[in-house]
């Protein structure tokens, strides 16, 4: 059930409705989470709703560099009444 919801193209709306105030995305994770592309797509599709707060470089070790960490803020989310999170997602606890 959780997997079906995450594949749904309404993920951008879900992020707004909860609301998710801050979103941290790793542009080069060691292991790419299943939801990674969905979150990047949500930022792209709903770009005017998200503000890039910061971009932070990462290093694996001396001389080795990974992609950056991006921090986005959902604009005007303060004071928004949260939506009800489907019980399947709340129980999963990893989204």
């Amino acid at each position: 059930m959780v997997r079906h919801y995450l594949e749904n193209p309404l993920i951008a709306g879900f992020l707004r409705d909860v609301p998710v105030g801050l979103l941290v995305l790793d542009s080069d994770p060691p292991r790419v989470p299943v939801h990674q592309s969905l979150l990047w797509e949500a930022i792209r599709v709903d770009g005017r709703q998200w503000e890039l707060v910061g971009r932070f470089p990462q290093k694996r070790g001396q001389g080795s560099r990974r992609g950056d960490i991006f921090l986005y803020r959902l604009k005007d989310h303060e004071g928004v009444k949260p939506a009800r999170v489907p019980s399947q997602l709340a129980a999963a606890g990893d989204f």
Side-chain angles (χ1 to χ4, degrees), residues 28-47:
D28 186 19
R31 287 185 297 167
V32 180
V34 175
H35 61 272
Q36 179 87 350
S37 62
L38 294 169
L39 295 173
W40 280 113
E41 180 67 10
I43 294 289
R44 188 191 69 74
V45 167
D46 212 12

Side-chain angles (χ1 to χ4, degrees), residues 1-3 5-6 11 14-15 23 33-36 38-39 85-95:
M1 184 66 102
V2 173
R3 178 105 176 124
Y5 189 82
L6 293 177
I11 192 74
F14 174 80
L15 294 173
L23 186 59
V34 175
H35 61 272
Q36 179 87 350
L38 294 169
L39 295 173
V85 176
S87 60
Q88 295 88 353
L89 288 176
D94 64 356
F95 190 13

Side-chain angles (χ1 to χ4, degrees), residues 22-91:
L22 295 172
L23 186 59
V24 178
L25 293 169
D26 185 343
S27 65
D28 186 19
R31 287 185 297 167
V32 180
V34 175
H35 61 272
Q36 179 87 350
S37 62
L38 294 169
L39 295 173
W40 280 113
E41 180 67 10
I43 294 289
R44 188 191 69 74
V45 167
D46 212 12
R48 288 183 282 174
Q49 297 291 319
W50 294 92
E51 171 188 13
L52 178 62
V53 175
R55 183 176 181 169
F56 307 95
Q58 301 184 72
K59 290 186 178 181
R60 284 193 177 136
Q62 191 171 5
S64 178
R65 189 172 186 291
R66 289 184 45 201
D68 296 340
I69 298 284
F70 292 83
L71 176 61
Y72 289 91
R73 181 184 77 82
L74 180 61
K75 296 178 184 176
D76 303 319
H77 76 280
E78 298 86 356
V80 173
K81 184 177 178 182
R84 186 170 176 269
V85 176
S87 60
Q88 295 88 353
L89 288 176

